[in-house]
Amino acid sequence: MSVSGTSDAAENTVSDFHGATKNLIRLKTITATLLGIIFVYPSITSLCFSTSICLGQNAAQPPIALFNPETRSEESEATQLKAHAVAMAKSIAAEYPENALIHILLGSAYFNTGQTDMAATHLRKCLALDNNILEAHEILTRIAYEKGNPEEAVRLCVEARNRGLSSPKLLNRLARAQMDLGQAEKSIQTLLEAIKVSHPLAESFYLLGQARMQARDYLEAKESFIRTTELIPDHTQAYFGLFTACQRLGQMEEAMEFRKTFVRLESIDRKDLNDRSSQTESLSGIAAVRETTARTLFGAGQIHQSQGAYTAAADLFYQSAALAKEDLKSRAALEAVHVQNKKLEEGAKAFERLVTNQPGNALNHFFLGRLKTRLGNSTQAESNYQKTVSLAPTWAAGHHALAELYMLTNQHLNQAEKLARRAVELEPNHVRYYLLSAACIKNRHLQEALKAINQALTITPDDAKYRKLRDQLEKAMAQKRNP
Amino acid sequence: MNIALKIGLLGSILGTIGIRAAAPVSPIQFKDVSQETGITFVHTDGGQGKQRYIVESVASGIATFDYDLDGNIDILFLNGAPLPGSPEDTPSSGNALYRNQGDWQFADKTTDAGLDDTRYHLGVCVGDYNNDGFPDVFLSNFGPDILYRNNGDGTFTDVTLTAGVSNGNQVGAGASFLDIDADGHLDLFIANYCDFSIEEHKPRQINGHPAYAGPMMYGPVPDTLYRNNGDGTFTDISHKSGIASVSGTGMGVVSSDYDHDGDIDIIVGNDAMANFVWQNDGKGKFKEAGLFSGLAYDSNGIGLGTMGVDCGDYNNDGRMDFYMTSYQKQWGILYQNEGAGFFMDATRITGAGAGTYNEVTWGLGLEDFDNDGFRDLYVACGHLQDNIRHWDDTVHFEARNILLRNIKGKNFVDVSSKSGTGMDVKLSSRGAAFDDLDNDGDIDVVVLNTREAPTILRNDSSPSNHWARIHLEGTQSNREAIGARIKVIAGELTLMDELRSGRGYQSHYGTLSHFGLGQEKKIDQVEIWWPSGKKQIFKNIPVDRVIKFTEGRAQ
């Protein structure tokens, strides 16, 4: 199952909008390691559902003031949010006790609220119903590991692998637990298996370096750490590994170079961590609660959507978006569910409510603009996109959408070209270049249009649409030269 | 086959077939005798006002030493004090000095001894700073620190101001007396925790629940080093010595010659950042060598939330290894000394982290509890967030402590559930101390539990193994010979130890050096490297007793 109905433009926004926080991904990993934050959610989107029963009627309703944090203390908000996430998942599970996937959702909800015993109960229930669900094995393994029981983590991983279920993530977990048990050779074999896949995770190479260090094979360890830094150039811990491996190998000059890099990266990580902990939301942890609750609500919404329960799904996507202010996925799903069901007016109303509650949120204006465009209300759409651009001036998708609107309505074409050019500056990918090319054509800037489409083709040489446009442009320019 | 070995073998067999025997199966046996000792001390963290000041979560340490030189190890429990916000009728609290009267009976001598101070106490170390033969006490506090001079008549005098060691108005942590320049006078190192004051208190929440803040919310601070002028006064040489060149979040401290170059270095466990290794140049100048030595981080290059630090030669290879306790979701780390000043994180290959990953761990002891010649590990546990259950059900504020048995220097096995009722105690422990309280030749355990009465564990392990306890008296070196290195050769066993002041989690213990000797019935040779630089060798030493060596004299 996947959230359908999202256009290229919307999908392109994901990495882009979060670009500003991209450098925090590594940091988040480190933070989670240091603080022991429990944070997991199964990608239900990768699973398919066979039942067709409607789920919408008995969904747990949130307390009225749930999404108005100003009216309550953070502690009571956190308590209510966590209770709501679990209640929501429970209500769905109660309706479909025999649906294995729903037990993953409930298990995850419990896990995210720190109730690992209950989480494990539901994950085991999931596996009792269907022992071939990798994600249940993965989360159960994680619980065992978090509880400081590497033996159990190994047992669960091996059980999953023996069933033919495997993923680099699961193998990494297995390797880590094996290492914790002092089984370096076994860990190395597991990691060699993990990196056989077409796109191996950098983490697998890093762990391989660790396992080889444990086996005192420093030369091979060094190679694994180097491979890690090729995939993630600022992998702080890999540089620590390189420093220690070279130190053991007596390669002191190299060791000192790696040491320097490690110290530099570590101080950046440390500063970022300190900056984050000085932010109020980070400090209170309420942000994390909102995020995990939003994820559970989003997952529940996906389940409803898969069952054709449009209203319930829309409600949950709305709640998820209301909680996760920077989450694009829930908003894209909220838009999609309305588009799929041809409820554009209702969709627009939902985003209008979000705009009212979160007036400074560019994402809400963006999606409202998209729905207004579909509704044919280009004036309102223009206003929403303009607001998007003013609120998020470095976000390419806002410029892109406004340019697209102007071209669609044949208005402000010069402005459209400028906006498309800005979008390319901010995010030079093939979609942006294609739009720029189209905008240049609208303004009869054929040379510029050809240049832009050639840029798009440099990125995706086999795209038939782009090739066709390039051919047309070349032909038109040739005709122009030789009328 | 000796009894201990038989029991161990039985334990192994039962373990492999998954049977939990009701009978004791570990050679190490502890009995909780807290109720029988007459000790009525109850710790307070001063948090009655529910403000959750950071200091509450990290208090307090403990000291075991023979303050009246009667041959019995006495106990000094450190206490917190009511902090602002506490109800007005909150009773004042104070430290408690219990004199060991023998036969597991202790008498409260706090007031008689003049140690009834009611300030907020965190760390402690003991050392004879004035070389008069009586152990003095330094207390590291939230607020000005205190140095008590032992008057030799069972009483102490607060000489802080005269000595000049009040250390400003900081959050103190572990402390250690050591002779940095081998001049025969004990200098004083104090780890400082973070830049916290009541006025700067930052309320924090985790997942919306009120919680204690970490030290990084206040920022690190430099540690302090005082040089002993030899006339009862000290001079602050933190800057001159290099110690103040970097800031940290000091917790546990241990002084040890980690690089085996003949001078005493200082190892500081920092909370939520890299640990410090202060490498001594032998003249009292220090260089920070944590990263280079391998003691700063775990094997992942992560600066852990280090709490306590102790050292000992776990594999009897003649090199001093280190163990550091840490925060939840972090292993307690065993750093194996590889020689030349390098250490390797050997936690995983030895199993020395067993049981620690999901606990917050504090006090620790690398001690040979069954006298088999290999140092075991005792780790005190307990989360610092008293309401942790609200957001994580995998861990508890009150937890069982951990006992890991050293199997021939190769690996550690978790025997916590097989080592007697003493290991069933479930409280939130902090400082821990390890000494022979009943002079029966094995190491007993004293644990300070936050907000609760302490736990006193009597070592009831089989007495079939032999032992020796070495008492050193310096003449040219400092009187207690703190910093001396001792090598004991007994048959197949070659053991090593150092004398030190201040160790574990903000605590002090082990003024005499204890050696388990297994089945060896005599010591072939004792080698002593005195802090002065002198080396002496003694041969054919009897076992199962305390043996005193005086610097420069024949046995």
Side-chain angles (χ1 to χ4, degrees):
Chain A
M1 184 174 76
S2 65
V3 178
S4 56
T6 48
S7 71
D8 280 355
E11 283 172 0
N12 272 322
T13 59
V14 179
S15 63
D16 199 4
F17 189 75
H18 293 286
T21 55
K22 204 159 66 177
N23 63 342
L24 287 180
I25 293 169
R26 184 167 52 89
L27 186 63
K28 275 184 178 175
T29 312
I30 295 162
T31 314
T33 310
L34 290 174
L35 304 178
I37 291 169
I38 293 172
F39 207 70
V40 71
Y41 189 76
S43 56
I44 284 174
T45 50
S46 65
L47 307 171
C48 56
F49 293 78
S50 55
T51 173
S52 59
I53 306 163
C54 175
L55 288 169
Q57 307 308 314
N58 295 324
Q61 293 302 307
I64 290 168
L66 187 63
F67 305 126
N68 184 7
E70 287 74 25
T71 63
R72 58 193 62 251
S73 75
E74 285 183 343
E75 183 175 10
S76 71
E77 187 196 348
T79 306
Q80 287 200 34
L81 282 175
K82 286 190 279 186
H84 178 55
V86 170
M88 173 57 60
K90 272 167 86 174
S91 75
I92 299 174
E95 285 202 50
Y96 304 99
E98 300 307 311
N99 186 324
L101 298 176
I102 284 165
H103 289 286
I104 300 187
L105 181 75
L106 188 49
S108 302
Y110 277 121
F111 188 56
N112 288 332
T113 54
Q115 301 174 72
T116 56
D117 289 339
M118 288 299 289
T121 301
H122 283 279
L123 292 164
R124 282 194 209 100
K125 204 163 182 178
C126 166
L127 290 176
L129 292 164
D130 182 351
N131 209 346
N132 292 313
I133 297 177
L134 176 62
E135 279 146 319
H137 285 284
E138 279 179 350
I139 305 169
L140 268 176
T141 302
R142 172 135 187 222
I143 290 172
Y145 192 85
E146 297 289 345
K147 285 188 168 182
N149 192 346
E151 292 93 344
E152 178 67 359
V154 166
R155 193 190 66 74
L156 288 162
C157 287
V158 170
E159 187 185 307
R161 193 168 57 171
N162 290 345
R163 292 197 156 270
L165 302 169
S166 191
S167 71
K169 212 167 96 180
L170 185 90
L171 291 172
N172 285 353
R173 179 77 62 196
L174 171 59
R176 194 183 280 275
Q178 286 169 327
M179 245 189 290
D180 287 342
L181 292 169
Q183 302 167 354
E185 287 305 327
K186 280 187 184 174
S187 180
I188 289 169
Q189 292 311 312
T190 304
L191 290 161
L192 289 173
E193 189 184 331
I195 60 176
K196 270 185 193 162
V197 298
S198 56
H199 295 290
L201 301 174
E203 195 61 13
S204 301
F205 285 103
Y206 173 68
L207 290 173
L208 186 56
Q210 282 281 300
R212 283 170 163 164
M213 286 293 287
Q214 192 171 310
R216 293 180 181 259
D217 187 350
Y218 303 125
L219 203 58
E220 288 291 323
K222 184 182 167 188
E223 284 308 308
S224 302
F225 290 133
I226 285 173
R227 191 82 180 85
T228 312
T229 58
E230 284 167 3
L231 293 169
I232 300 181
D234 57 352
H235 195 295
T236 311
Q237 278 70 44
Y239 281 100
F240 180 79
L242 282 166
F243 162 63
T244 48
C246 288
Q247 202 183 30
R248 300 286 188 274
L249 288 165
Q251 300 169 349
M252 295 316 287
E253 266 185 43
E254 262 191 283
M256 296 319 281
E257 282 304 309
F258 289 130
R259 176 181 178 271
K260 256 190 229 168
T261 310
F262 168 71
V263 168
R264 179 176 59 79
L265 292 173
E266 208 243 4
S267 70
I268 294 169
D269 291 346
R270 181 73 44 202
K271 186 181 175 306
D272 288 346
L273 268 177
N274 290 344
D275 289 349
R276 274 162 63 81
S277 38
S278 64
Q279 291 164 12
T280 316
E281 289 227 323
S282 232
L283 210 62
S284 70
I286 192 68
V289 177
R290 286 179 190 148
E291 194 179 334
T292 51
T293 305
R295 283 173 179 222
T296 301
L297 298 176
F298 179 74
Q302 285 191 302
I303 290 173
H304 281 306
Q305 192 182 22
S306 74
Q307 306 304 315
Y310 149 74
T311 310
D315 275 357
L316 288 163
F317 291 144
Y318 176 84
Q319 289 179 30
S320 179
L323 278 175
K325 290 180 182 171
E326 290 186 5
D327 182 47
L328 187 134
K329 222 164 46 168
S330 57
R331 286 168 176 80
L334 180 61
E335 179 200 44
V337 75
H338 285 100
V339 171
Q340 278 172 346
N341 290 281
K342 300 184 173 47
K343 303 273 188 184
L344 299 180
E345 288 286 0
E346 283 185 33
K349 278 180 189 162
F351 277 103
E352 277 163 2
R353 284 203 303 278
L354 285 171
V355 162
T356 306
N357 291 333
Q358 302 166 356
N361 187 328
L363 279 178
N364 297 333
H365 289 282
F366 174 76
F367 280 100
L368 183 55
R370 285 165 59 86
L371 284 165
K372 291 289 183 187
T373 306
R374 284 179 184 271
L375 285 163
N377 188 344
S378 56
T379 310
Q380 190 58 51
E382 181 188 11
S383 163
N384 289 124
Y385 287 148
Q386 282 171 342
K387 191 77 181 168
T388 305
V389 169
S390 73
L391 287 170
T394 59
W395 189 40
H399 298 271
H400 184 117
L402 188 52
E404 210 168 32
L405 178 72
Y406 286 150
M407 286 159 64
L408 191 72
T409 55
N410 261 325
Q411 293 174 330
H412 312 300
L413 294 176
N414 280 336
Q415 183 64 10
E417 188 178 329
K418 279 182 193 164
L419 286 161
R421 202 170 290 286
R422 180 70 180 132
V424 162
E425 283 168 14
L426 291 166
E427 189 189 47
N429 66 27
H430 63 99
V431 179
R432 310 284 180 236
Y433 278 117
Y434 178 68
L435 180 79
L436 176 59
S437 182
C440 291
I441 291 169
K442 284 271 186 189
N443 287 301
R444 301 193 176 281
H445 298 150
L446 298 190
Q447 190 65 44
E448 290 297 301
L450 182 62
K451 199 174 153 190
I453 201 63
N454 276 330
Q455 289 286 358
L457 279 164
T458 308
I459 298 165
T460 52
D462 299 327
D463 191 299
K465 190 171 63 174
Y466 298 167
R467 291 168 87 121
K468 191 178 168 190
L469 181 59
R470 183 194 58 191
D471 293 347
Q472 286 171 344
L473 275 166
E474 283 176 347
K475 201 173 164 188
M477 288 176 71
Q479 278 177 353
K480 201 176 170 185
R481 280 195 298 272
N482 304 303
Chain B
M1 190 184 288
N2 67 56
I3 294 168
L5 195 58
K6 276 182 187 168
I7 292 171
L9 191 60
L10 178 63
S12 309
I13 293 165
L14 292 177
T16 48
I17 57 174
I19 295 172
R20 175 79 190 273
V25 290
S26 164
I28 307 171
Q29 290 295 308
F30 285 120
K31 186 183 179 191
D32 181 4
V33 294
S34 314
Q35 299 296 319
E36 303 157 25
T37 58
I39 292 172
T40 57
F41 170 80
V42 176
H43 177 259
T44 175
D45 62 8
Q48 296 90 336
K50 306 281 181 203
Q51 300 298 308
R52 294 180 191 273
Y53 298 113
I54 187 171
V55 290
E56 297 167 22
S57 64
V58 295
S60 303
I62 192 173
T64 49
F65 66 111
D66 183 5
Y67 84 96
D68 54 0
L69 304 187
D70 66 349
N72 292 326
I73 296 291
D74 311 298
I75 309 172
L76 175 64
F77 295 103
L78 267 57
N79 213 346
L83 293 166
S86 297
E88 281 185 13
D89 57 353
T90 305
S92 63
S93 50
N95 298 332
L97 174 69
Y98 281 93
R99 180 170 176 268
N100 186 342
Q101 305 189 116
D103 201 23
W104 291 98
Q105 291 305 300
F106 292 80
D108 187 345
K109 295 290 179 186
T110 318
T111 308
D112 295 349
L115 295 182
D116 49 353
D117 176 82
T118 56
R119 277 172 275 180
Y120 202 104
H121 309 285
L122 289 157
V124 58
C125 67
V126 176
D128 184 5
Y129 82 94
N130 56 357
N131 289 329
D132 67 352
F134 294 93
D136 310 298
V137 175
F138 177 79
L139 298 181
S140 178
N141 299 333
F142 171 41
D145 298 337
I146 305 173
L147 175 62
Y148 286 111
R149 188 188 65 217
N150 190 329
N151 301 320
D153 59 358
T155 68
F156 291 83
T157 301
D158 180 346
V159 294
T160 314
L161 291 180
T162 315
V165 291
S166 66
N167 193 27
N169 193 21
Q170 307 210 49
V171 183
S176 176
F177 281 114
L178 72 159
D179 188 356
I180 59 170
D181 49 6
D183 66 351
H185 300 290
L186 286 177
D187 310 295
L188 176 61
F189 178 89
I190 308 158
N192 297 310
Y193 186 36
C194 62
D195 194 13
F196 168 78
S197 65
I198 292 292
E199 295 72 30
E200 294 297 317
H201 170 58
K202 293 178 183 169
R204 179 200 183 189
Q205 293 190 326
I206 293 177
N207 287 5
H209 299 284
Y212 287 102
M216 286 306 174
M217 285 178 62
Y218 300 101
V221 287
D223 296 324
T224 306
L225 180 64
Y226 288 108
R227 183 196 297 279
N228 188 332
N229 301 322
D231 59 358
T233 68
F234 290 77
T235 302
D236 187 340
I237 57 163
S238 309
H239 288 279
K240 198 176 158 190
S241 63
I243 291 291
S245 60
V246 289
S247 294
T249 48
M251 295 288 269
V253 173
V254 70
S255 301
S256 168
D257 182 8
Y258 83 97
D259 52 1
H260 209 152
D261 67 351
D263 53 44
I264 301 301
D265 313 292
I266 306 165
I267 290 78
V268 185
N270 283 321
D271 189 357
M273 63 176 284
N275 303 310
F276 291 155
V277 174
W278 289 109
Q279 188 182 34
N280 192 346
D281 70 354
K283 296 167 186 166
K285 290 276 198 306
F286 290 83
K287 189 175 79 178
E288 208 289 294
L291 177 53
F292 202 73
S293 69
L295 286 169
Y297 301 92
D298 72 352
S299 61
N300 287 299
I302 303 278
L304 302 181
T306 303
M307 305 297 186
V309 189
D310 196 14
C311 54
D313 181 9
Y314 91 91
N315 53 358
N316 294 343
D317 66 352
R319 297 170 183 150
M320 195 58 80
D321 310 298
F322 286 75
Y323 194 88
M324 301 198 194
T325 51
S326 55
Y327 197 61
Q328 185 197 5
K329 309 290 184 208
Q330 299 173 350
W331 299 100
I333 304 289
L334 174 66
Y335 294 96
Q336 182 175 299
N337 194 329
E338 304 270 276
F342 294 130
F343 290 79
M344 182 187 79
D345 178 345
T347 311
R348 289 160 160 168
I349 56 168
T350 59
T356 62
Y357 182 74
N358 204 31
E359 302 287 352
V360 181
T361 53
W362 305 84
L364 74 148
L366 255 170
E367 301 289 339
D368 185 358
F369 295 111
D370 53 2
N371 285 333
D372 67 348
F374 296 94
R375 290 175 182 274
D376 311 294
L377 255 169
Y378 184 97
V379 179
C381 305
H383 211 282
L384 59 80
Q385 306 289 358
D386 55 359
N387 55 348
I388 182 73
R389 69 187 182 283
H390 289 316
W391 65 89
D392 183 356
D393 71 352
T394 66
V395 66
H396 302 280
F397 177 62
E398 294 173 331
R400 286 190 178 88
N401 295 334
I402 296 167
L403 180 62
L404 304 179
R405 182 165 179 252
N406 184 336
I407 309 297
K408 303 283 178 197
K410 305 280 184 206
N411 63 303
F412 290 86
V413 173
D414 188 344
V415 293
S416 311
S417 60
K418 302 171 183 171
S419 297
T421 55
M423 295 307 298
D424 292 339
V425 178
K426 205 173 165 188
L427 293 165
S428 198
S429 302
R430 296 293 184 269
F434 308 87
D435 261 312
D436 185 358
L437 298 179
D438 53 0
N439 290 323
D440 67 346
D442 54 33
I443 299 290
D444 307 295
V445 181
V446 184
V447 183
L448 184 141
N449 303 305
T450 185
R451 305 179 184 178
E452 293 284 350
T455 306
I456 317 293
L457 300 182
R458 188 179 70 207
N459 189 336
D460 283 350
S461 304
S462 163
S464 60
N465 286 329
H466 297 288
W467 59 276
R469 194 164 303 133
I470 292 181
H471 178 188
L472 299 186
E473 184 177 68
T475 51
Q476 188 182 339
S477 304
N478 68 83
R479 182 81 171 254
E480 289 177 314
I482 288 169
R485 179 178 284 246
I486 306 161
K487 185 174 173 182
V488 168
I489 301 169
E492 296 291 302
L493 289 171
T494 300
L495 311 172
M496 186 268 287
D497 198 8
E498 292 172 337
L499 287 183
R500 57 188 71 98
S501 155
R503 61 203 288 197
Y505 181 69
Q506 307 188 356
S507 296
H508 173 95
Y509 49 89
T511 307
L512 308 189
S513 186
H514 181 96
F515 294 92
L517 298 170
Q519 291 300 296
E520 304 299 339
K521 290 176 180 158
K522 73 173 177 70
I523 295 172
D524 301 314
Q525 185 164 304
V526 172
E527 299 173 23
I528 299 167
W529 287 263
W530 296 91
S532 62
K534 275 187 187 148
K535 183 183 175 185
Q536 281 183 279
I537 298 176
F538 304 93
K539 292 185 185 286
N540 296 319
I541 316 290
V543 298
D544 298 333
R545 67 196 65 191
V546 176
I547 309 138
K548 184 172 178 180
F549 299 100
T550 303
E551 186 177 15
R553 289 187 202 158
Q555 185 181 334

